């Protein structure tokens, strides 16, 4: 099985050596924007359903999952033909979700019901609902598949859910209104952003305790405007990148010393982030300026801004 | 093999977790909510239904939110609701049912009974969270060290309007004021804001016509509003006796703002940004109606106690109060900025919404109004102008 996957991966890689494709959900256009990031061009826009927000690509890169919030479903979309292949029972108003590393389970935050829904993708069935804090938002699975983490915005906690029995085993109190949560590639740290306190917290996975809190500051921006959201950490854990929302900046954090090395000015209300497969570029969705910023990580500079449509929300990259 | 080991560790952790949770006694935080019944005002428009129980559902929603968190932190929040009949005395109810039994009191009461209660000896060992008044005086000369205020004051509201008027360059105002004491206070706040933001009140007139305005207003307003040219009509009519009848009836085609038309408010049904839609939905499901300002204020009051009790891991008054007034306190209020209390007068700093009946126009502080500490302090009485001295 693994062999098959691997050869399949090699095949697709050789077929599209030129560059990756970037998919962006457009919350107000009910559409998906398809961008060629190397050429810096919007290739096309396709309708996808009412109010698309969260987006993820399967580990084999064959299908996209898109939460169409106003249709109360997560759509399965062929990443080549962009045709709908099926729908998953996500519960009400799905916004953010996470895939497990194997790509056979999907975990959805149901914000209005204070629940996390576990979906078996093959069966297209919800197999469990887990009661969490008020307004769960950020959700992620550790790369070693040990932990599912859900962050509740009003309860101000991250809940550590055991992936084996889908029960909460521990809770960590974090700064107010936690938004995104992301594990490092080695599954040793969990990074969590707090929108209200303007901080990034680094948690040790073994102790479940906060080991470092980084308070972001930017010249010419009042602290109220610094509202950290999306996080991306490179595989070698050299640097992490944090989208600062209405501060219109991406913070570059040294993932060893936790110093903020640089602030990169991008579009208005920068929300979510994604790496290129070679991790040489970072893509940001800017909700208010309606564009995608492309950051060249070798030179630490914003090289391009691509207009994509109204309210770009989530971003996924296909090699 | 490895899997087995992990599984065993896991089981052990699990047992350990539950054992500690059940061994510890639950920390209980009792909160009492006090309000007084009101009868509908006489002059309300025929179209707006009178909402009798403003505040209570907000308090209940916050208790359930606190308890969702409490489930994980081993804290339990209880709410006792006391409603004083219209002819009753709130301070009597306080003396009989609250004094000596509670540490935290949330009130939706007018200024007079609130101050009466706050000055009673038993209230000195309590924290009162006022979710009912907008009086600037309660945050200035009449401030009390045992009272925090959740609703924006009249000056916070008129400053919000003035900032927007300045941005629009609608600088010439025609001020129309009712005769009720509240209207005079609102008009005073308007004048203060006009001075502060360099606006020009070209004409000021009291509304003196019949209060059953629906009948005669068509002719009255046209004649009444024949004054020197102005950009915007500013109305001070807190009870809604005549203000609704000014728009579209003035002699000159001019917009109306103040207590009617474009209003400044802490919460509005058209507000859905920054996660507000979630709170609106949860509230509507619970109450079967829109969230009113008092509901929002009572919600914030109880969430504030919850947040402080969770962070300090105590139900004790002093650490909770110290935390609430510290720089560390940041409350999610669904309005973009984190909310906190002004340490000099106990007023909750917050954005103020500027809303038309069917649309949210903007949110103050308006971009460009700067402040060395927090832009939220461009609204209302800032520290240097405050007359509040908490040591008295």
């Amino acid at each position: 099985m693994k062999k098959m996957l691997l050869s399949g991966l090699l095949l697709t890689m050789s077929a599209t050596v030129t560059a990756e494709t970037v998919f962006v959900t457009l919350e107000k256009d009910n559409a998906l924007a398809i961008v060629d990031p190397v050429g810096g061009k919007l290739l096309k826009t396709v309708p996808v359903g009412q109010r698309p927000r969260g987006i993820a690509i399967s580990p084999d890169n064959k299908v996209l999952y898109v939460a169409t919030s106003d249709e109360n479903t997560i759509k399965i979309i062929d990443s080549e033909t962009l045709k709908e292949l099926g729908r998953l029972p996500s519960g009400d108003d799905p916004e953010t979700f996470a895939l497990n590393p194997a790509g056979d389970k999907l975990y959805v935050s149901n914000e209005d019901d204070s629940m996390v829904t576990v979906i078996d993708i093959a069966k297209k069935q919800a197999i469990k609902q887990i009661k969490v804090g008020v307004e769960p938002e950020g959700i992620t699975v550790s790369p070693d598949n040990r932990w599912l983490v859900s962050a509740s915005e009003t309860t101000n906690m991250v809940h550590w859910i055991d992936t084996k029995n889908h029960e909460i085993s521990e809770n960590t109190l974090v700064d107010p209104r936690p938004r995104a949560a992301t594990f490092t590639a080695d599954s040793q740290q969990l990074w969590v952003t707090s929108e209200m306190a303007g901080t990034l917290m680094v948690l040790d996975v073994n102790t479940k305790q906060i080991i470092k809190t980084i308070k972001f500051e930017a010249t010419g921006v009042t602290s109220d405007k610094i509202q950290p959201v999306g996080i991306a950490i490179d595989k070698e854990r050299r640097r992490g990148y944090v989208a600062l929302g209405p501060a219109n900046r991406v913070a570059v954090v040294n993932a060893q010393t936790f110093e903020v090395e640089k602030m990169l000015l991008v579009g208005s209300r920068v929300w979510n982030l994604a790496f290129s497969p070679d991790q040489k570029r970072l893509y940001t969705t800017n909700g208010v300026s309606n564009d995608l910023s492309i950051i060249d990580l070798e030179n630490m500079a914003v090289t391009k801004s691509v207009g994509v449509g109204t309210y770009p929300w989530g971003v996924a990259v296909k090699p | 093999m490895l899997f087995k080991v992990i599984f065993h560790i896991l089981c052990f952790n699990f047992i350990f977790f539950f054992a500690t949770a059940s061994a510890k006694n639950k920390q209980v935080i009792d909160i009492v909510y006090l309000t007084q019944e009101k009868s509908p005002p006489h002059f309300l428009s025929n179209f707006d239904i009178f909402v009798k129980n403003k505040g209570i559902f907000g308090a209940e929603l916050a208790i359930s939110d606190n308890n969702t968190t409490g489930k994980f932190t081993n804290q339990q929040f209880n709410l006792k609701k006391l409603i004083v009949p219209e002819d009753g005395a709130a301070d009597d109810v306080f003396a009989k049912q609250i004094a000596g039994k509670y540490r935290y009191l949330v009130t939706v009461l007018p200024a007079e009974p609130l101050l009466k209660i706050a000055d009673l000896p038993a209230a000195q060992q309590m924290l009162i969270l006022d979710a009912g008044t907008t009086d600037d005086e309660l945050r200035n000369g009449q401030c009390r060290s045992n009272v925090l205020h959740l609703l924006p004051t009249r000056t916070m509201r008129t400053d919000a309007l003035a900032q927007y008027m300045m941005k629009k360059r609608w600088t010439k105002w025609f001020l129309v004021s009712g005769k009720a004491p509240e209207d005079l206070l609102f008009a005073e706040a308007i004048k203060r804001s006009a001075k502060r933001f360099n606006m020009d009140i070209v004409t000021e007139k009291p509304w003196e016509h019949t209060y059953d305005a629906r009948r005669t207003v068509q002719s009255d307003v046209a004649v009444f509003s024949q004054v020197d040219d102005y950009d915007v009509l500013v109305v001070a009519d807190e009870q809604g006796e005549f203000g609704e009848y000014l728009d579209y009836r003035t002699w000159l085609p001019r917009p109306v703002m103040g207590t009617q038309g474009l209003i400044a408010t802490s919460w509005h049904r058209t507000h859905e940004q920054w996660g507000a839609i979630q709170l609106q939905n949860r509230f509507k499901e619970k109450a079967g109606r829109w969230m009113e300002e008092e509901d929002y204020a009572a919600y914030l009051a109880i969430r504030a106690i919850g947040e402080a009790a969770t962070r300090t891991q105590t139900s004790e008054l002093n650490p909770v109060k110290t935390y609430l007034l510290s720089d560390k306190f940041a409350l999610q209020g669904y309005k973009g900025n984190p909310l906190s209390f002004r340490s000099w007068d106990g007023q909750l700093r917050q954005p103020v919404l500027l809303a038309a009946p069917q649309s949210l126009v903007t949110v103050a502080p308006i971009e460009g109004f700067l402040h060395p500490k927090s832009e939220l302090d461009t609204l209302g009485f800032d520290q240097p102008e405050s007359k509040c001295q908490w040591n008295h």
Side-chain angles (χ1 to χ4, degrees), chain B residues 275-294:
Chain B
I277 188 81
Q278 264 94 251
L279 183 62
Q280 301 272 27
N281 286 344
R282 279 190 287 135
F283 184 86
K284 261 196 291 177
E285 196 175 311
K286 184 172 192 66
R289 60 166 173 83
W290 291 102
M291 191 177 214
E292 301 284 336
E293 275 203 90
E294 289 85 346

Side-chain angles (χ1 to χ4, degrees), chain B residues 3 41 43 46 51 77 117 132 184 216 270 325 361 381:
Chain B
F3 178 77
F43 309 103
N46 290 343
V51 180
F77 297 84
I117 289 170
L184 300 178
T216 54
T270 57
L325 288 165
V361 175
F381 281 86

Side-chain angles (χ1 to χ4, degrees), chain A residues 26-251:
Chain A
L26 303 171
E27 187 180 349
K28 286 270 150 121
D29 288 346
N30 301 328
L32 198 59
I34 293 106
V35 177
D36 164 16
V38 176
K41 277 188 312 227
L42 173 69
L43 298 174
K44 60 176 166 179
T45 307
V46 293
V48 72
Q50 300 296 306
R51 205 171 173 215
R53 291 193 281 177
I55 182 169
I57 192 157
S58 61
D60 63 5
N61 296 310
K62 283 185 181 155
V63 297
L64 289 164
Y65 299 98
V66 177
T68 48
S69 301
D70 286 358
E71 292 173 321
N72 301 323
T73 190
I74 290 176
K75 290 189 177 171
I76 309 170
I77 291 163
D78 187 306
S79 67
E80 275 304 318
T81 65
L82 303 173
K83 294 271 186 305
E84 186 182 322
L85 302 173
R87 294 181 181 203
L88 297 172
S90 60
D92 280 353
D93 194 24
E95 179 182 353
T96 49
F97 60 86
L99 276 172
N100 66 346
D104 60 358
K105 283 200 186 70
L106 198 143
Y107 303 98
V108 192
S109 304
N110 296 118
E111 213 165 7
D112 288 357
D113 306 328
S114 305
M115 295 275 200
V116 167
T117 303
V118 184
I119 297 171
D120 183 311
I121 294 176
K123 290 185 192 152
K124 294 193 182 131
Q125 267 176 12
I127 52 172
K128 183 152 183 176
Q129 289 209 301
I130 307 157
K131 188 90 189 144
V132 292
V134 183
E135 293 177 12
E137 170 101 15
I139 187 157
T140 189
V141 185
S142 60
D144 63 4
N145 201 34
R146 175 76 181 77
W147 296 108
L148 164 66
V149 160
S150 161
S152 348
E153 284 176 349
T154 297
T155 299
N156 303 329
M157 272 183 185
V158 292
H159 308 288
W160 300 80
I161 300 165
D162 194 311
T163 51
K164 290 188 188 68
N165 56 13
H166 297 132
E167 305 268 358
I168 294 177
S169 88
E170 280 185 62
N171 303 286
T172 311
L173 200 61
V174 294
D175 282 349
R177 202 160 153 88
R179 290 303 296 260
T182 305
F183 282 94
T184 50
D186 58 11
S187 300
Q188 294 301 302
Q189 290 176 356
L190 177 76
W191 291 27
V192 181
T193 47
S194 154
E195 193 182 69
M196 293 278 115
T199 55
L200 168 74
M201 290 152 288
V202 179
L203 281 74
D204 178 72
V205 171
N206 292 314
T207 62
K208 317 278 184 291
Q209 296 300 308
I210 298 170
I211 52 170
K212 182 80 190 175
T213 300
I214 298 137
K215 171 109 180 135
F216 294 110
E217 280 164 5
T219 40
V221 183
T222 53
S223 60
D224 296 358
K225 283 240 167 70
I226 296 183
Q227 299 174 5
V229 197
I231 308 166
I233 311 164
D234 65 30
K235 285 182 198 123
E236 295 78 22
R237 208 208 281 174
R238 280 177 309 184
R239 289 192 182 91
Y241 304 86
V242 180
L244 299 182
N248 309 338
R249 283 160 175 79
V250 170

Side-chain angles (χ1 to χ4, degrees), chain B residues 1 24 37 39 70 72-73 77 102 113 115 157 163 172 180 182 222 235 251 271 297 318 345 368 387:
Chain B
M1 178 60 200
K24 254 197 286 177
E37 274 182 346
S39 51
F72 302 115
T73 56
F77 297 84
Y102 294 91
L115 280 186
R157 291 161 200 260
Q163 287 186 357
K172 288 183 287 177
E182 295 87 357
V235 57
W251 185 250
H271 175 49
N318 286 332
D345 64 358
K387 293 188 189 79

